[in-house]
Each structure stands twice: as structure tokens, then as C-alpha cells.
């Protein structure tokens, strides 16, 4: 079976937003192609998304009047994808490097992205911008 990751993402974010009190002041935008992933790609990708979106709701908007969260997914070329989680919140400390994160959650994001033969990039640009470049199962098989 394959999973529509756009539908999965919308359901996950709706559930997460219902848990956090900041949900009332967060505008959520999805810029996602409707892409199907097999379970071997969808599970680690879902865990990454869960961690990044949870962190956004917990920490990003403490000093923001009107929060914005954008989640994007696009196919770059055959078997290569970009997942992005962008907010207009507080961001992480200056000089933060995703691959050297000390928190358990962000270490998990880094390790799961490596499991997908990908990498995590973090940029502060009027908020946190996380980009996860990764490969689907077929492309990962070709690399092995």
C-alpha cells in the first residue's frame, strides 16, 4: 500500500494543532504535491513531520501575535523530494546546525532523514525554515 502524504499531513497537523493552545493564532498553509509514498518512506517522513510541527506549536509562537506555518512537499526529480516546514516564529539560536542538534527530537529528525538517504537543512529567515531532502524507496535501492 501507498499513502497519500498530503492527506496524511493534513490529518496529522489537524490532530497536533488541537493539542496545543497556540492553534487559534496559527494560519496553516499546505504547498504540497499529492504524492504517494510506500510505508518504508511514509513512516520515517511522518515521524520527521510530527517532530517539526510539534516543535513549531510548542515553541515557535510564544512571542508572535499571528503565527504562520507552511508545510511543503515537492518532487525535485525522479525519486528525489523536498519536505519543508517553515514558520514565522522565534527560530532557533543563532549558529544552530541541524546535524549537531543536542535535543532528542532534532537528533531523531536528523537520523530519520539519513535513513531516507537525505539531509536536514535549517535556515533562520524571519522564523524557522527546515528543509529535508530525501529519496523514495526506489531511489534508495539504487544507491545501495
Amino acid at each position: 500500500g501507498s499513502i497519500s502524504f498530503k492527506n496524511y499531513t493534513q490529518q496529522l497537523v489537524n490532530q497536533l494543532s488541537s493539542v496545543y493552545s497556540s492553534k487559534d493564532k496559527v494560519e496553516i498553509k499546505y504547498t504540497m504535491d499529492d504524492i504517494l509514498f510506500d510505508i518504508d518512506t511514509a513512516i520515517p517522513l511522518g515521524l520527521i513531520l510530527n517532530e517539526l510541527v510539534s516543535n513549531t506549536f510548542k515553541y515557535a509562537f510564544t512571542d508572535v501575535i499571528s503565527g504562520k506555518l507552511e508545510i511543503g512537499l515537492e518532487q525535485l526529480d525522479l525519486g528525489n523530494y523536498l519536505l519543508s516546514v517553515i514558520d514565522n516564529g522565534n527560530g532557533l539560536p543563532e549558529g544552530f546546525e541541524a546535524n549537531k542538534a543536542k535535543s532528542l527530537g532534532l537528533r531523531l529528525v536528523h537520523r530519520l532523514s539519513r535513513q531516507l538517504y537525505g539531509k536536514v537543512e535549517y535556515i533562520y529567515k524571519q522564523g524557522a525554515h527546515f528543509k529535508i531532502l530525501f529519496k523514495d524507496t526506489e531511489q534508495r535501492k539504487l544507491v545501495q
Side-chain angles (χ1 to χ4, degrees), residues 52-84:
L52 293 177
V53 171
S54 293
N55 283 350
T56 298
F57 283 121
K58 284 193 276 189
Y59 306 116
F61 304 123
T62 56
D63 299 328
V64 176
I65 294 171
S66 178
K68 293 182 182 177
L69 170 63
E70 181 176 345
I71 301 169
L73 176 66
E74 65 179 296
Q75 184 171 359
L76 302 175
D77 53 42
L78 184 63
N80 292 295
Y81 299 87
L82 172 64
L83 173 70
S84 57

Side-chain angles (χ1 to χ4, degrees), residues 3-66:
I3 296 170
S4 166
F5 207 73
K6 181 176 185 176
N7 290 339
Y8 172 79
T9 298
Q10 291 171 334
Q11 290 175 13
L12 176 65
V13 172
N14 284 338
Q15 290 176 359
L16 289 171
S17 70
S18 70
V19 172
Y20 298 99
S21 62
S22 64
K23 67 181 180 193
D24 298 328
K25 60 180 180 179
V26 178
E27 174 189 331
I28 302 169
K29 179 179 177 184
Y30 300 94
T31 54
M32 304 180 79
D33 296 334
D34 196 11
I35 299 171
L36 300 176
F37 289 121
D38 66 7
I39 201 79
D40 292 330
T41 301
I43 288 176
L45 202 55
L47 291 169
I48 289 169
L49 189 60
N50 182 70
E51 182 62 30
L52 293 177
V53 171
S54 293
N55 283 350
T56 298
F57 283 121
K58 284 193 276 189
Y59 306 116
F61 304 123
T62 56
D63 299 328
V64 176
I65 294 171
S66 178

Side-chain angles (χ1 to χ4, degrees), residues 82-127:
L82 172 64
L83 173 70
S84 57
V85 178
I86 300 168
D87 67 59
N88 68 331
N90 302 321
L92 293 162
E94 191 172 329
F96 175 82
E97 295 180 45
N99 61 343
K100 296 180 181 178
K102 293 185 176 163
S103 74
L104 178 62
L106 290 177
R107 285 193 335 228
L108 178 66
V109 167
H110 182 69
R111 288 185 179 156
L112 288 167
S113 68
R114 285 195 337 226
Q115 182 179 327
L116 295 170
Y117 288 51
K119 65 179 181 173
V120 179
E121 294 178 4
Y122 169 77
I123 302 165
Y124 177 81
K125 186 176 179 184
Q126 297 176 335

